[in-house]
Amino acid sequence: MADKVITIREALSAALREEMQRDERVFIMGEEVGVWGGTYAVTRGFIDEFGEKRVRDTPISEMVIAGAAVGAAMAGLRPIAEIMTINFAFLALDAIVNHAAKVRYMFNGQFTVPLVIRTTTGGGKQLGATHSHAPEVIFAHFPGLYVGVPGTAYDAKGMLKASIRDDNPVLFVEHSTMLQRRAAVPEDPDFVLPIGKSDVKRRGKDVTIVTYGKGLEWSMTAADTLSKDGIEAEIVDLRWLRPLDLEPVFESFKKTNRCVVVEESLPMFNIGAEVAAQIQQEMFDYMDAPVKRVSAMDIPLPYSREIELMALPSAEKVVAAVKELV
Amino acid sequence: MTAEVQTVHQIDDAGVDLDPAALLELYWQMVRARRIDERTWVLHRQGKIAFHISGIGHEAIQVGAAYAMRRGHDYAHLYYRDLAFALALGYTPRDFYLAVFGKLGEPTSGARQMPSHFTGRAQGMLPPSSPVATQVPQAAGVALACKLRGQDRVTVVTLGEGSTSEGDFFEGLNWAGVHILPMICLVQNNIYAISVPMEKQMAVANVADRAPMFGIAAAIVDGNDVLASYRVMKEAIERARGGGGATLVEAKTYRPVPHSSDDDDRTYRSRDEVDEWKRHDPILRYQIYLRERGLLDDQKIEDVEARARQEIDEAQANALAAPYPPAEDALGPVFKPLHD
C-alpha cells in the first residue's frame, strides 16, 4: 500500500480507527469524544462508525476517566482514555502513576494494564498556565508507564498503533498546535513503529540537537537557518521519554562532540538534565563543550500573546544556543 | 470490666436461606479471621513485623458480604481492613503471613507491596490501594468492562467511611449511576477516619444519605450482624446482576482497636466508648444466636478455636521458615515484555 500525505490529526484518527477495527476490546472514553467528535476532532465520526458502546462520552471527571480505564484494562478490555490536556491529568495523577504504572509490579504481574491515555500538551494558544505547560517529563519519572510524544504525522500513526497493541500503560501526548502538520504516512494497517526507539530526523556533523514533540519543529527550522551559516545540525527525535533511547544520541555525539537539548518543558529537572547527565557519564571523552539546554522559562506560562511566546522556546533560541557552542 | 459485658442479643435472620452447615461456616470464617488478626497484633508488639492494619470488629459485614457474592466469579475490589473478606474469598492464612513477614513466594505481590493489599486473580480480588478511595473509580471501570463484555459479574468495592470524603468516591459513584453499573459500593462505617470522628467528616447522618445524588439505590445495615449483612448484600448484588444498577451499602460497625499499629487510639476516644462496643462484638452476638439455634455449644466453640489455632500456628511457622526474596526480585516485573 502506498503512502499518503495527511495531517497529524488524520494520522491519529487513522490509527484509532484501524486498531478499533482490528480488536474489539479497544474502546474510547473521555470528555467530548463521542457526539462532538473530540476536543481536537480526532474522533469525529467515530460514534456513528463504532457506536456509543465503544465511543463513550463521560462526565468531566478526570480521576474516574483514568481510574475506570485502569479498572477496565485489568478486567480484560483495552481502553483508550482521553484527557483534554496533560495539565488536567494532574487530577488523575493517582490513577496514572500509583496504579496504571505500578499495578503490574506491586501485584507480581497478576494484572496488566493495557491502557492508552491520550492527551494534548503545550503552549502557544493563549490558554494560560493551567492549560499550556508541557509536563510530560513528570510522567516519565515513573517506571511502569511508557510516555510517547510524536512530532510528525508518520510517528503519530505508528506510535499510537504500537501503544494500543502493547500490554503496558502508555501516556500518549499530542501537541495541540501541531495537529495540522502534514507528512507522508503509510496506509498499510500493519504499519507500527517500535516503542522506545528514537529517530534521527536530520543528518549533520557539527552539533547534535536532541529533542521531541514541538521541539522537533523548532529544531528543524533552526537547522535550516544554521545551514545557511555553514553549520550542519544532526537532529535526534527521542519520540519516547520512556523507554528513553539515547543510543542514537551517543552515536551522533561521537561525531559532533556538542549537544543542545530542545524541549518545551520547564527548565528544572527536565529531559535536558537527564540527557546532559547521561552524556557526561557515557561520552565524557568526546565532550568539546558543555551540553546546552533550550526550554520554556521557569515561570507559570503567561496568557498575553507576546509574553507567552517569549516564555516558550523558539527556533531563534535554538539557533542562538547552537552558535554559543560551535 | 469484661465481666459486666452483656452482649447485644439480636441477630436478624429474616429472609436468610442458609442451611446449618453454611451458618457454621460463617462463624468459622469470622473466628479464624479474628484470631489471625489478634495474632498479628502480638507479632507486631513482639517486634517481629513492621506494621499491621486490623479488621477486628468488621468480621460480620465482611464475611456476610463475601458469602453474598458468587465467589470467584464476581469481582471484589477490597481495602486494607478486609482481612476477613479476603479469607472468605479464598485467601489463606499462609498467604497473609508470607505477606506480613515479606517472604519469598508471597502470592499477592511477590513481597513487593505492603501486607493487607489483598489481591488474587483466582479469587477475583483486584489490587487495592493505599491512597484511600482510588478503588472506587477503578471498580467503576471493572464494572463497566463486565457490562460491555456482556458478563453477569458484579463488582463489590469496599472502603471505610473515612474514604467517602475523597473526590474519588463521588466521581466513581456518579459514573456508576450514569452508566447503570453492576457495582456495589460497600462502606464499612466504623465512625473514625483514623482519629477524626464522623461529625467532623460529614454533615449528613449516614453515608448512604448521599446515594440519591448519584441516582443509585441505598441500604443501611447493622454491620455487626452477619446474617443481616449477608441478606442486604445479597439483595443488592442480585439486583445489580439483573441490570438494576449500583447500590451504596452502608454497614454500621466499629473498630475497637487502633487504625493501625502506628497510632494509639487512647488519644482520641474514651475507654468507655470502646468497652461499649464489646456488647456489640459481631462474633459474640452470632455465637449467642447459634447457641439458641442449637448449632453451637461450649465444646463446638472450643473445637472451632482449636482448629483456628492449629491452622494459624502452621501458617505462621511455614511463613517464618520461608526464605526472603532474592535481591533480583526487587527489579521485576515493571513492564510486560513485548513478546511475553
Side-chain angles (χ1 to χ4, degrees), chain A residues 53 56 61 63-64 67-68 71-72 75 94 99 104-108 110 144 146 166-168, chain B residues 108-109 112-113 119 121 127 129 131 134 137-138 141 148-149 168 171 179 330 332 334-336 338:
Chain A
K53 191 172 163 188
R56 307 183 67 87
S61 207
M63 72 169 69
V64 70
D94 179 81
H99 296 91
R104 182 174 168 76
Y105 180 88
M106 289 194 299
F107 300 100
N108 208 22
Q110 290 190 77
Y146 293 145
D166 196 84
D167 282 338
N168 295 291
Chain B
T108 287
S109 75
R112 294 181 189 86
Q113 173 61 306
T119 305
R121 183 174 269 287
S129 180
T134 60
Q138 290 176 37
L148 293 180
R149 299 178 78 185
D168 300 69
E171 293 196 23
H179 298 299
V334 178
F335 288 106
K336 184 167 182 187
L338 270 177

mmCIF file of all heavy atoms in Angstrom, chain A residues 53 56 61 63-64 67-68 71-72 75 94 99 104-108 110 144 146 166-168, chain B residues 108-109 112-113 119 121 127 129 131 134 137-138 141 148-149 168 171 179 330 332 334-336 338:
data_model
loop_
_atom_site.group_PDB
_atom_site.id
_atom_site.type_symbol
_atom_site.label_atom_id
_atom_site.label_comp_id
_atom_site.label_asym_id
_atom_site.label_seq_id
_atom_site.Cartn_x
_atom_site.Cartn_y
_atom_site.Cartn_z
ATOM 1 N N LYS A 53 -21.399 2.336 22.457
ATOM 2 C CA LYS A 53 -20.794 1.393 23.376
ATOM 3 C C LYS A 53 -19.268 1.508 23.359
ATOM 4 O O LYS A 53 -18.616 1.360 24.390
ATOM 5 C CB LYS A 53 -21.225 -0.026 22.969
ATOM 6 C CG LYS A 53 -20.903 -1.095 23.979
ATOM 7 C CD LYS A 53 -21.535 -2.427 23.566
ATOM 8 C CE LYS A 53 -20.880 -3.566 24.322
ATOM 9 N NZ LYS A 53 -21.301 -4.891 23.862
ATOM 10 N N ARG A 56 -17.335 6.486 24.086
ATOM 11 C CA ARG A 56 -18.142 6.817 25.257
ATOM 12 C C ARG A 56 -17.863 8.221 25.776
ATOM 13 O O ARG A 56 -16.763 8.521 26.223
ATOM 14 C CB ARG A 56 -17.883 5.802 26.374
ATOM 15 C CG ARG A 56 -18.062 4.351 25.931
ATOM 16 C CD ARG A 56 -17.875 3.415 27.089
ATOM 17 N NE ARG A 56 -18.930 3.573 28.081
ATOM 18 C CZ ARG A 56 -20.086 2.930 28.040
ATOM 19 N NH1 ARG A 56 -20.352 2.080 27.072
ATOM 20 N NH2 ARG A 56 -20.987 3.135 28.973
ATOM 21 N N SER A 61 -14.525 14.473 34.624
ATOM 22 C CA SER A 61 -14.242 13.684 35.811
ATOM 23 C C SER A 61 -12.934 12.929 35.603
ATOM 24 O O SER A 61 -12.912 11.721 35.441
ATOM 25 C CB SER A 61 -15.433 12.715 35.975
ATOM 26 O OG SER A 61 -15.643 12.322 37.274
ATOM 27 N N MET A 63 -10.397 11.986 37.321
ATOM 28 C CA MET A 63 -9.893 10.878 38.142
ATOM 29 C C MET A 63 -10.659 9.596 37.889
ATOM 30 O O MET A 63 -10.088 8.517 37.969
ATOM 31 C CB MET A 63 -9.837 11.236 39.632
ATOM 32 C CG MET A 63 -11.127 11.335 40.346
ATOM 33 S SD MET A 63 -10.891 11.451 42.146
ATOM 34 C CE MET A 63 -10.171 13.059 42.372
ATOM 35 N N VAL A 64 -11.934 9.711 37.476
ATOM 36 C CA VAL A 64 -12.641 8.473 37.165
ATOM 37 C C VAL A 64 -12.409 8.045 35.713
ATOM 38 O O VAL A 64 -12.401 6.846 35.416
ATOM 39 C CB VAL A 64 -14.139 8.533 37.519
ATOM 40 C CG1 VAL A 64 -14.905 9.439 36.625
ATOM 41 C CG2 VAL A 64 -14.767 7.142 37.513
ATOM 42 N N GLY A 67 -9.133 6.386 36.324
ATOM 43 C CA GLY A 67 -9.298 5.269 37.251
ATOM 44 C C GLY A 67 -10.122 4.152 36.640
ATOM 45 O O GLY A 67 -9.777 2.975 36.748
ATOM 46 N N ALA A 68 -11.220 4.508 35.998
ATOM 47 C CA ALA A 68 -12.064 3.489 35.374
ATOM 48 C C ALA A 68 -11.334 2.826 34.211
ATOM 49 O O ALA A 68 -11.527 1.638 33.948
ATOM 50 C CB ALA A 68 -13.375 4.109 34.893
ATOM 51 N N GLY A 71 -9.304 0.182 35.697
ATOM 52 C CA GLY A 71 -10.162 -0.950 36.052
ATOM 53 C C GLY A 71 -10.576 -1.747 34.834
ATOM 54 O O GLY A 71 -10.497 -2.985 34.826
ATOM 55 N N ALA A 72 -11.020 -1.053 33.787
ATOM 56 C CA ALA A 72 -11.473 -1.751 32.582
ATOM 57 C C ALA A 72 -10.327 -2.531 31.939
ATOM 58 O O ALA A 72 -10.521 -3.624 31.405
ATOM 59 C CB ALA A 72 -12.067 -0.750 31.592
ATOM 60 N N ALA A 75 -9.747 -5.642 33.764
ATOM 61 C CA ALA A 75 -10.853 -6.582 33.568
ATOM 62 C C ALA A 75 -10.950 -7.068 32.123
ATOM 63 O O ALA A 75 -11.968 -7.621 31.734
ATOM 64 C CB ALA A 75 -12.166 -5.939 34.009
ATOM 65 N N ASP A 94 -3.065 10.111 40.490
ATOM 66 C CA ASP A 94 -3.007 8.898 41.306
ATOM 67 C C ASP A 94 -3.304 7.661 40.468
ATOM 68 O O ASP A 94 -2.590 6.660 40.548
ATOM 69 C CB ASP A 94 -3.996 8.998 42.468
ATOM 70 C CG ASP A 94 -3.974 7.737 43.301
ATOM 71 O OD1 ASP A 94 -3.073 7.616 44.142
ATOM 72 O OD2 ASP A 94 -4.822 6.855 43.083
ATOM 73 N N HIS A 99 -1.288 3.644 40.073
ATOM 74 C CA HIS A 99 -1.959 2.400 39.709
ATOM 75 C C HIS A 99 -1.567 1.903 38.328
ATOM 76 O O HIS A 99 -0.983 0.840 38.211
ATOM 77 C CB HIS A 99 -3.464 2.552 39.877
ATOM 78 C CG HIS A 99 -3.810 2.794 41.315
ATOM 79 N ND1 HIS A 99 -3.911 4.059 41.852
ATOM 80 C CD2 HIS A 99 -3.964 1.938 42.339
ATOM 81 C CE1 HIS A 99 -4.151 3.958 43.153
ATOM 82 N NE2 HIS A 99 -4.183 2.690 43.471
ATOM 83 N N ARG A 104 1.298 -3.705 37.932
ATOM 84 C CA ARG A 104 1.972 -4.921 37.474
ATOM 85 C C ARG A 104 3.085 -5.325 38.450
ATOM 86 O O ARG A 104 3.189 -6.477 38.849
ATOM 87 C CB ARG A 104 2.545 -4.693 36.073
ATOM 88 C CG ARG A 104 3.208 -5.916 35.519
ATOM 89 C CD ARG A 104 3.651 -5.736 34.071
ATOM 90 N NE ARG A 104 4.515 -6.834 33.729
ATOM 91 C CZ ARG A 104 4.096 -8.059 33.467
ATOM 92 N NH1 ARG A 104 2.800 -8.315 33.472
ATOM 93 N NH2 ARG A 104 4.942 -9.017 33.208
ATOM 94 N N TYR A 105 3.863 -4.340 38.856
ATOM 95 C CA TYR A 105 4.966 -4.613 39.787
ATOM 96 C C TYR A 105 4.451 -4.973 41.171
ATOM 97 O O TYR A 105 4.850 -5.979 41.751
ATOM 98 C CB TYR A 105 5.875 -3.375 39.859
ATOM 99 C CG TYR A 105 7.049 -3.538 40.796
ATOM 100 C CD1 TYR A 105 8.243 -4.094 40.349
ATOM 101 C CD2 TYR A 105 6.969 -3.144 42.131
ATOM 102 C CE1 TYR A 105 9.327 -4.255 41.201
ATOM 103 C CE2 TYR A 105 8.034 -3.303 42.993
ATOM 104 C CZ TYR A 105 9.212 -3.849 42.526
ATOM 105 O OH TYR A 105 10.278 -4.009 43.365
ATOM 106 N N MET A 106 3.549 -4.146 41.696
ATOM 107 C CA MET A 106 3.125 -4.318 43.090
ATOM 108 C C MET A 106 2.385 -5.635 43.307
ATOM 109 O O MET A 106 2.367 -6.158 44.403
ATOM 110 C CB MET A 106 2.212 -3.165 43.526
ATOM 111 C CG MET A 106 2.933 -1.849 43.703
ATOM 112 S SD MET A 106 1.942 -0.620 44.608
ATOM 113 C CE MET A 106 0.506 -0.422 43.568
ATOM 114 N N PHE A 107 1.757 -6.141 42.248
ATOM 115 C CA PHE A 107 0.964 -7.354 42.412
ATOM 116 C C PHE A 107 1.498 -8.495 41.566
ATOM 117 O O PHE A 107 0.764 -9.344 41.094
ATOM 118 C CB PHE A 107 -0.514 -7.038 42.212
ATOM 119 C CG PHE A 107 -0.989 -6.021 43.212
ATOM 120 C CD1 PHE A 107 -1.128 -4.695 42.875
ATOM 121 C CD2 PHE A 107 -1.191 -6.389 44.542
ATOM 122 C CE1 PHE A 107 -1.484 -3.743 43.823
ATOM 123 C CE2 PHE A 107 -1.552 -5.450 45.496
ATOM 124 C CZ PHE A 107 -1.701 -4.125 45.139
ATOM 125 N N ASN A 108 2.821 -8.475 41.424
ATOM 126 C CA ASN A 108 3.545 -9.643 40.915
ATOM 127 C C ASN A 108 3.091 -10.075 39.533
ATOM 128 O O ASN A 108 3.061 -11.262 39.230
ATOM 129 C CB ASN A 108 3.373 -10.813 41.906
ATOM 130 C CG ASN A 108 4.545 -11.765 41.851
ATOM 131 O OD1 ASN A 108 5.636 -11.398 41.425
ATOM 132 N ND2 ASN A 108 4.329 -12.998 42.262
ATOM 133 N N GLN A 110 0.197 -10.155 38.280
ATOM 134 C CA GLN A 110 -1.136 -10.779 38.174
ATOM 135 C C GLN A 110 -2.051 -10.006 37.240
ATOM 136 O O GLN A 110 -2.909 -10.572 36.595
ATOM 137 C CB GLN A 110 -1.810 -10.829 39.553
ATOM 138 C CG GLN A 110 -1.205 -11.794 40.519
ATOM 139 C CD GLN A 110 -2.114 -11.925 41.740
ATOM 140 O OE1 GLN A 110 -3.129 -12.593 41.700
ATOM 141 N NE2 GLN A 110 -1.751 -11.274 42.814
ATOM 142 N N GLY A 144 7.125 1.790 34.735
ATOM 143 C CA GLY A 144 5.844 1.103 34.577
ATOM 144 C C GLY A 144 4.926 1.799 33.592
ATOM 145 O O GLY A 144 3.913 1.245 33.194
ATOM 146 N N TYR A 146 4.866 3.933 29.892
ATOM 147 C CA TYR A 146 5.529 4.465 28.703
ATOM 148 C C TYR A 146 4.992 5.861 28.410
ATOM 149 O O TYR A 146 3.803 6.126 28.608
ATOM 150 C CB TYR A 146 5.267 3.584 27.483
ATOM 151 C CG TYR A 146 5.882 2.204 27.526
ATOM 152 C CD1 TYR A 146 5.223 1.116 26.958
ATOM 153 C CD2 TYR A 146 7.135 1.989 28.099
ATOM 154 C CE1 TYR A 146 5.787 -0.155 26.967
ATOM 155 C CE2 TYR A 146 7.710 0.726 28.112
ATOM 156 C CZ TYR A 146 7.031 -0.348 27.550
ATOM 157 O OH TYR A 146 7.590 -1.592 27.555
ATOM 158 N N ASP A 166 0.217 -2.624 22.639
ATOM 159 C CA ASP A 166 1.087 -3.058 23.733
ATOM 160 C C ASP A 166 0.278 -3.342 24.992
ATOM 161 O O ASP A 166 -0.783 -2.756 25.216
ATOM 162 C CB ASP A 166 2.134 -1.977 24.032
ATOM 163 C CG ASP A 166 3.269 -2.520 24.873
ATOM 164 O OD1 ASP A 166 4.197 -3.107 24.292
ATOM 165 O OD2 ASP A 166 3.212 -2.383 26.120
ATOM 166 N N ASP A 167 0.789 -4.252 25.820
ATOM 167 C CA ASP A 167 0.084 -4.627 27.051
ATOM 168 C C ASP A 167 0.410 -3.726 28.232
ATOM 169 O O ASP A 167 -0.119 -3.911 29.326
ATOM 170 C CB ASP A 167 0.414 -6.077 27.431
ATOM 171 C CG ASP A 167 -0.375 -7.063 26.592
ATOM 172 O OD1 ASP A 167 -1.425 -6.677 26.057
ATOM 173 O OD2 ASP A 167 0.074 -8.212 26.459
ATOM 174 N N ASN A 168 1.282 -2.759 28.055
ATOM 175 C CA ASN A 168 1.639 -1.849 29.142
ATOM 176 C C ASN A 168 0.876 -0.529 29.000
ATOM 177 O O ASN A 168 0.458 -0.164 27.909
ATOM 178 C CB ASN A 168 3.146 -1.570 29.125
ATOM 179 C CG ASN A 168 3.942 -2.822 29.408
ATOM 180 O OD1 ASN A 168 3.922 -3.338 30.521
ATOM 181 N ND2 ASN A 168 4.618 -3.348 28.389
ATOM 182 N N THR B 108 0.436 -12.540 46.527
ATOM 183 C CA THR B 108 -0.232 -11.313 46.118
ATOM 184 C C THR B 108 0.702 -10.385 45.350
ATOM 185 O O THR B 108 0.345 -9.849 44.312
ATOM 186 C CB THR B 108 -0.779 -10.581 47.362
ATOM 187 O OG1 THR B 108 -1.913 -11.297 47.833
ATOM 188 C CG2 THR B 108 -1.189 -9.175 47.044
ATOM 189 N N SER B 109 1.896 -10.220 45.862
ATOM 190 C CA SER B 109 2.771 -9.189 45.290
ATOM 191 C C SER B 109 4.210 -9.650 45.119
ATOM 192 O O SER B 109 5.057 -8.858 44.712
ATOM 193 C CB SER B 109 2.766 -7.957 46.207
ATOM 194 O OG SER B 109 3.531 -8.210 47.368
ATOM 195 N N ARG B 112 6.451 -7.502 47.310
ATOM 196 C CA ARG B 112 6.853 -6.150 46.899
ATOM 197 C C ARG B 112 5.919 -5.082 47.462
ATOM 198 O O ARG B 112 6.266 -3.919 47.500
ATOM 199 C CB ARG B 112 6.865 -6.049 45.373
ATOM 200 C CG ARG B 112 7.916 -6.904 44.720
ATOM 201 C CD ARG B 112 7.888 -6.722 43.214
ATOM 202 N NE ARG B 112 8.746 -7.693 42.579
ATOM 203 C CZ ARG B 112 8.351 -8.921 42.250
ATOM 204 N NH1 ARG B 112 7.117 -9.306 42.469
ATOM 205 N NH2 ARG B 112 9.199 -9.758 41.685
ATOM 206 N N GLN B 113 4.714 -5.477 47.842
ATOM 207 C CA GLN B 113 3.744 -4.498 48.321
ATOM 208 C C GLN B 113 3.475 -4.767 49.799
ATOM 209 O O GLN B 113 3.691 -5.868 50.298
ATOM 210 C CB GLN B 113 2.458 -4.607 47.481
ATOM 211 C CG GLN B 113 1.282 -3.775 47.955
ATOM 212 C CD GLN B 113 1.551 -2.284 47.967
ATOM 213 O OE1 GLN B 113 2.523 -1.828 48.560
ATOM 214 N NE2 GLN B 113 0.699 -1.510 47.320
ATOM 215 N N THR B 119 -5.004 -9.139 47.018
ATOM 216 C CA THR B 119 -5.162 -9.238 45.568
ATOM 217 C C THR B 119 -4.989 -10.676 45.139
ATOM 218 O O THR B 119 -4.045 -11.341 45.575
ATOM 219 C CB THR B 119 -4.084 -8.403 44.848
ATOM 220 O OG1 THR B 119 -4.145 -7.079 45.333
ATOM 221 C CG2 THR B 119 -4.298 -8.402 43.345
ATOM 222 N N ARG B 121 -5.961 -12.925 41.421
ATOM 223 C CA ARG B 121 -6.742 -13.064 40.198
ATOM 224 C C ARG B 121 -7.736 -14.221 40.337
ATOM 225 O O ARG B 121 -8.896 -14.107 39.957
ATOM 226 C CB ARG B 121 -5.804 -13.274 39.005
ATOM 227 C CG ARG B 121 -6.514 -13.353 37.692
ATOM 228 C CD ARG B 121 -5.549 -13.403 36.530
ATOM 229 N NE ARG B 121 -5.210 -12.101 35.990
ATOM 230 C CZ ARG B 121 -6.028 -11.358 35.252
ATOM 231 N NH1 ARG B 121 -7.232 -11.763 34.980
ATOM 232 N NH2 ARG B 121 -5.639 -10.188 34.791
ATOM 233 N N PRO B 127 -6.475 -5.284 42.650
ATOM 234 C CA PRO B 127 -5.485 -4.618 43.503
ATOM 235 C C PRO B 127 -6.034 -3.425 44.281
ATOM 236 O O PRO B 127 -6.500 -2.468 43.673
ATOM 237 C CB PRO B 127 -4.420 -4.146 42.508
ATOM 238 C CG PRO B 127 -4.622 -4.966 41.297
ATOM 239 C CD PRO B 127 -6.087 -5.280 41.247
ATOM 240 N N SER B 129 -5.611 -0.160 47.055
ATOM 241 C CA SER B 129 -4.684 0.957 47.065
ATOM 242 C C SER B 129 -4.388 1.361 48.499
ATOM 243 O O SER B 129 -5.027 0.904 49.428
ATOM 244 C CB SER B 129 -5.326 2.117 46.325
ATOM 245 O OG SER B 129 -4.446 3.196 46.331
ATOM 246 N N PRO B 131 -3.592 5.093 48.989
ATOM 247 C CA PRO B 131 -4.341 6.352 48.977
ATOM 248 C C PRO B 131 -5.826 5.999 48.898
ATOM 249 O O PRO B 131 -6.246 5.364 47.937
ATOM 250 C CB PRO B 131 -3.877 7.062 47.707
ATOM 251 C CG PRO B 131 -2.894 6.194 47.040
ATOM 252 C CD PRO B 131 -2.795 4.903 47.767
ATOM 253 N N THR B 134 -9.328 5.333 45.917
ATOM 254 C CA THR B 134 -8.972 5.219 44.496
ATOM 255 C C THR B 134 -9.544 3.954 43.879
ATOM 256 O O THR B 134 -9.643 3.853 42.666
ATOM 257 C CB THR B 134 -7.452 5.221 44.311
ATOM 258 O OG1 THR B 134 -6.912 4.109 45.021
ATOM 259 C CG2 THR B 134 -6.827 6.481 44.849
ATOM 260 N N PRO B 137 -13.225 4.562 41.561
ATOM 261 C CA PRO B 137 -13.210 4.752 40.103
ATOM 262 C C PRO B 137 -12.739 3.506 39.351
ATOM 263 O O PRO B 137 -13.270 3.191 38.284
ATOM 264 C CB PRO B 137 -12.209 5.910 39.904
ATOM 265 C CG PRO B 137 -12.195 6.634 41.193
ATOM 266 C CD PRO B 137 -12.431 5.596 42.251
ATOM 267 N N GLN B 138 -11.763 2.811 39.906
ATOM 268 C CA GLN B 138 -11.284 1.606 39.215
ATOM 269 C C GLN B 138 -12.371 0.545 39.173
ATOM 270 O O GLN B 138 -12.569 -0.121 38.155
ATOM 271 C CB GLN B 138 -10.032 1.062 39.901
ATOM 272 C CG GLN B 138 -8.823 1.961 39.688
ATOM 273 C CD GLN B 138 -7.603 1.479 40.439
ATOM 274 O OE1 GLN B 138 -7.362 0.296 40.558
ATOM 275 N NE2 GLN B 138 -6.839 2.418 40.954
ATOM 276 N N GLY B 141 -14.700 1.128 36.537
ATOM 277 C CA GLY B 141 -14.162 0.672 35.256
ATOM 278 C C GLY B 141 -14.279 -0.831 35.092
ATOM 279 O O GLY B 141 -14.573 -1.330 33.994
ATOM 280 N N LEU B 148 -19.881 -4.102 29.381
ATOM 281 C CA LEU B 148 -19.602 -4.027 27.948
ATOM 282 C C LEU B 148 -19.347 -5.411 27.357
ATOM 283 O O LEU B 148 -19.653 -5.670 26.206
ATOM 284 C CB LEU B 148 -18.380 -3.125 27.680
ATOM 285 C CG LEU B 148 -18.548 -1.634 27.993
ATOM 286 C CD1 LEU B 148 -17.270 -0.867 27.679
ATOM 287 C CD2 LEU B 148 -19.711 -1.044 27.211
ATOM 288 N N ARG B 149 -18.757 -6.292 28.164
ATOM 289 C CA ARG B 149 -18.443 -7.630 27.665
ATOM 290 C C ARG B 149 -19.618 -8.593 27.807
ATOM 291 O O ARG B 149 -19.517 -9.757 27.443
ATOM 292 C CB ARG B 149 -17.229 -8.197 28.423
ATOM 293 C CG ARG B 149 -15.967 -7.353 28.241
ATOM 294 C CD ARG B 149 -14.800 -7.903 29.023
ATOM 295 N NE ARG B 149 -14.224 -9.050 28.338
ATOM 296 C CZ ARG B 149 -13.238 -9.800 28.846
ATOM 297 N NH1 ARG B 149 -12.745 -9.512 30.025
ATOM 298 N NH2 ARG B 149 -12.764 -10.818 28.171
ATOM 299 N N ASP B 168 -12.687 10.808 44.733
ATOM 300 C CA ASP B 168 -12.796 9.527 44.009
ATOM 301 C C ASP B 168 -14.126 8.852 44.277
ATOM 302 O O ASP B 168 -14.723 8.241 43.392
ATOM 303 C CB ASP B 168 -11.685 8.560 44.447
ATOM 304 C CG ASP B 168 -10.306 9.098 44.199
ATOM 305 O OD1 ASP B 168 -9.934 10.064 44.887
ATOM 306 O OD2 ASP B 168 -9.610 8.547 43.338
ATOM 307 N N GLU B 171 -16.822 10.801 42.271
ATOM 308 C CA GLU B 171 -16.698 10.619 40.820
ATOM 309 C C GLU B 171 -17.013 9.183 40.425
ATOM 310 O O GLU B 171 -17.660 8.927 39.413
ATOM 311 C CB GLU B 171 -15.297 11.027 40.355
ATOM 312 C CG GLU B 171 -15.041 12.513 40.517
ATOM 313 C CD GLU B 171 -13.834 13.017 39.734
ATOM 314 O OE1 GLU B 171 -13.441 12.362 38.744
ATOM 315 O OE2 GLU B 171 -13.286 14.062 40.112
ATOM 316 N N HIS B 179 -23.846 5.214 34.251
ATOM 317 C CA HIS B 179 -23.721 4.056 33.360
ATOM 318 C C HIS B 179 -24.508 2.836 33.841
ATOM 319 O O HIS B 179 -24.407 1.772 33.236
ATOM 320 C CB HIS B 179 -22.245 3.697 33.182
ATOM 321 C CG HIS B 179 -21.432 4.791 32.547
ATOM 322 N ND1 HIS B 179 -21.696 5.264 31.286
ATOM 323 C CD2 HIS B 179 -20.395 5.518 33.004
ATOM 324 C CE1 HIS B 179 -20.841 6.236 30.990
ATOM 325 N NE2 HIS B 179 -20.043 6.410 32.030
ATOM 326 N N ALA B 330 13.648 -7.516 43.438
ATOM 327 C CA ALA B 330 13.271 -6.099 43.514
ATOM 328 C C ALA B 330 13.106 -5.485 42.124
ATOM 329 O O ALA B 330 12.427 -4.472 41.970
ATOM 330 C CB ALA B 330 14.317 -5.314 44.302
ATOM 331 N N GLY B 332 11.925 -6.898 39.106
ATOM 332 C CA GLY B 332 10.857 -7.214 38.159
ATOM 333 C C GLY B 332 9.520 -7.013 38.763
ATOM 334 O O GLY B 332 9.476 -6.566 39.857
ATOM 335 N N VAL B 334 8.323 -4.855 36.060
ATOM 336 C CA VAL B 334 7.810 -3.496 35.881
ATOM 337 C C VAL B 334 6.977 -3.398 34.602
ATOM 338 O O VAL B 334 5.827 -2.981 34.610
ATOM 339 C CB VAL B 334 8.948 -2.457 35.861
ATOM 340 C CG1 VAL B 334 8.384 -1.066 35.622
ATOM 341 C CG2 VAL B 334 9.707 -2.486 37.181
ATOM 342 N N PHE B 335 7.611 -3.793 33.496
ATOM 343 C CA PHE B 335 6.904 -3.771 32.218
ATOM 344 C C PHE B 335 6.658 -5.196 31.741
ATOM 345 O O PHE B 335 7.462 -6.094 32.015
ATOM 346 C CB PHE B 335 7.733 -3.054 31.145
ATOM 347 C CG PHE B 335 7.801 -1.565 31.336
ATOM 348 C CD1 PHE B 335 8.962 -0.973 31.803
ATOM 349 C CD2 PHE B 335 6.714 -0.761 31.044
ATOM 350 C CE1 PHE B 335 9.028 0.407 31.977
ATOM 351 C CE2 PHE B 335 6.779 0.608 31.214
ATOM 352 C CZ PHE B 335 7.940 1.194 31.674
ATOM 353 N N LYS B 336 5.585 -5.384 31.024
ATOM 354 C CA LYS B 336 5.391 -6.661 30.352
ATOM 355 C C LYS B 336 6.219 -6.622 29.071
ATOM 356 O O LYS B 336 6.042 -5.723 28.242
ATOM 357 C CB LYS B 336 3.915 -6.875 30.014
ATOM 358 C CG LYS B 336 3.675 -8.240 29.407
ATOM 359 C CD LYS B 336 2.207 -8.586 29.369
ATOM 360 C CE LYS B 336 2.035 -9.979 28.804
ATOM 361 N NZ LYS B 336 0.633 -10.324 28.578
ATOM 362 N N LEU B 338 7.578 -7.198 25.313
ATOM 363 C CA LEU B 338 6.784 -7.152 24.093
ATOM 364 C C LEU B 338 6.258 -8.515 23.690
ATOM 365 O O LEU B 338 5.137 -8.645 23.231
ATOM 366 C CB LEU B 338 7.633 -6.575 22.957
ATOM 367 C CG LEU B 338 7.558 -5.057 22.797
ATOM 368 C CD1 LEU B 338 8.490 -4.599 21.699
ATOM 369 C CD2 LEU B 338 6.130 -4.605 22.527
#
